[in-house]
């Protein structure tokens, strides 16, 4: 589990990939959160062509980090 910044998440992901081992990685969803309730819209992003609030989702964090 990584509860830091996106920079930290990416660094840990890279270290796991370099190790050659399959190690599950769970990351906090703090990249653009403001209200944490989906009201302000600061965490909105497009996923599969739909506008979603990241604060309300559980998803593959690696795909979010890779953009």
């Amino acid at each position: 589990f990584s509860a830091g910044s996106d920079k930290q998440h990416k660094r840990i992901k890279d270290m796991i990939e370099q190790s050659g081992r399959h190690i599950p990685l769970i990351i906090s969803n703090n990249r653009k959160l403001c209200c944490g309730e989906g009201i302000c819209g600061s965490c909105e992003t497009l996923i599969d062509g739909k506008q979603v609030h990241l604060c309300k989702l559980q998803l593959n964090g690696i795909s979010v980090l890779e953009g």
Side-chain angles (χ1 to χ4, degrees):
F1 176 73
S2 174
S5 66
D6 282 355
K7 187 175 182 177
Q8 174 181 307
H9 301 327
K10 289 177 185 176
R11 191 172 187 115
I12 292 172
K13 177 186 83 69
D14 291 344
M15 291 187 321
I16 290 171
E17 288 174 353
Q18 290 174 2
S19 77
R21 298 175 58 200
H22 174 71
I23 302 171
L25 176 62
I26 298 171
I27 64 173
S28 59
N29 184 13
N30 60 350
R31 35 190 328 242
K32 296 181 184 177
L33 294 186
C34 188
C35 71
E37 295 294 327
I39 297 168
C40 72
S42 69
C43 66
E44 284 184 343
T45 192
L46 281 175
I47 296 179
D48 296 330
K50 296 180 182 177
Q51 196 76 11
V52 295
H53 291 132
L54 289 174
C55 65
K56 298 295 184 187
L57 293 179
Q58 290 184 359
L59 48 90
N60 181 342
I62 302 303
S63 63
V64 173
L65 287 176
E66 292 175 348

